[in-house]
Amino acid sequence: MWPIDVHAVRALETFFDEVTPGNIPILAGGGLDFSDADLSGLDFAGAEWISAILDRTRLRGTYLTRAWLIDASLRGSDFSAANLRKAEMRGCDARESIFVGAQLNRTDLSDANLRGADLHDTNLNQAFFHSTDLRGADLHGSSLGAYPGNANLAGAKIGGADVENVTGDVTHAVDVGISEPRILVGSELQRWFIDAGAPEVVVLDRTL
């Protein structure tokens, strides 16, 4: 299912026209509207979607390594099992989106809005969530990875998130507040994870 926006359709047509054996071009979709399209299972490595609109877009199993999604609107989109390795997603709005089983190794989601997003049972090691808003997100059963390859949660907002059975190491201060900041480090943060049903999370003394 292709998008409704004619400019987005033209960008896809140009992309597919340029595909040749052994050569995958870069999709030029910056600022365009791909809402409600189904682009699952395609190879869009390095796609340029800066400030694009991909609300409710299906990208299940799509190859998006090194894609540029900075400041993109991704609300309600489905990235299940997508390869987002080294994707640049800083400042994106991915509220209520699905990332279950996605490859997020070295994916930069700093300053992104992931409120209410679904990341349960997903490997989050080496993902960057610096100052990311994860309030109300579903993280249960996910792995943060072991230090030094753990997810970077420095300044992340995780108040109200489901962190039950989350595992892995935390090495930065985290904001567990919901309506106002409540930044915790060290033993206080460790207790918060235990009380939230994540006793296997280890808060290391590197939290700064």
Side-chain angles (χ1 to χ4, degrees):
M1 183 182 295
W2 283 24
I4 296 174
D5 182 78
V6 294
H7 300 291
V9 170
R10 190 171 301 126
L12 287 169
E13 291 175 337
T14 299
F15 171 85
F16 287 114
D17 285 344
E18 295 177 352
V19 172
T20 58
N23 175 61
I24 302 296
I26 301 297
L27 174 65
L32 302 181
D33 188 349
F34 293 81
S35 296
D36 298 301
D38 189 342
L39 305 174
S40 298
L42 299 173
D43 187 344
F44 289 137
E48 196 279 280
W49 268 323
I50 296 174
S51 299
I53 303 172
L54 292 97
D55 294 340
R56 301 171 303 281
T57 302
R58 289 171 60 86
L59 294 150
R60 297 173 62 91
T62 303
Y63 193 71
L64 295 167
T65 184
R66 298 182 184 273
W68 290 76
L69 290 149
I70 297 170
D71 295 326
S73 182
L74 312 171
R75 298 183 64 175
S77 293
D78 189 350
F79 292 93
S80 297
N83 188 337
L84 287 159
R85 186 174 185 272
K86 294 188 177 181
E88 297 288 344
M89 303 179 71
R90 298 187 303 276
C92 71
D93 183 352
R95 282 175 281 179
E96 308 295 335
S97 288
I98 302 170
F99 292 89
V100 179
Q103 295 184 48
L104 297 170
N105 183 262
R106 302 191 70 80
T107 304
D108 192 348
L109 285 151
S110 300
D111 298 303
N113 188 342
L114 271 68
R115 296 191 70 167
D118 187 353
L119 300 99
H120 79 270
D121 294 324
T122 300
N123 189 340
L124 306 177
N125 66 298
Q126 292 191 306
F128 295 97
F129 294 107
H130 186 278
S131 298
T132 303
D133 192 345
L134 288 158
R135 286 176 290 180
D138 185 353
L139 301 168
H140 82 264
S142 291
S143 171
L144 300 174
Y147 178 83
N150 56 312
N152 186 331
L153 291 171
K157 302 176 181 67
I158 61 173
D162 182 354
V163 298
E164 187 175 3
N165 295 325
V166 168
T167 61
D169 296 340
V170 174
T171 50
H172 297 89
V174 176
D175 184 354
V176 302
I178 298 177
S179 58
E180 59 184 34
R182 183 189 171 203
I183 299 172
L184 300 181
V185 298
S187 60
E188 288 187 327
L189 182 56
Q190 183 73 75
R191 173 50 57 186
W192 183 89
F193 275 109
I194 292 172
D195 291 343
E200 293 187 45
V201 168
V202 177
V203 177
L204 303 178
D205 59 8
R206 297 172 179 84
T207 50
L208 296 173

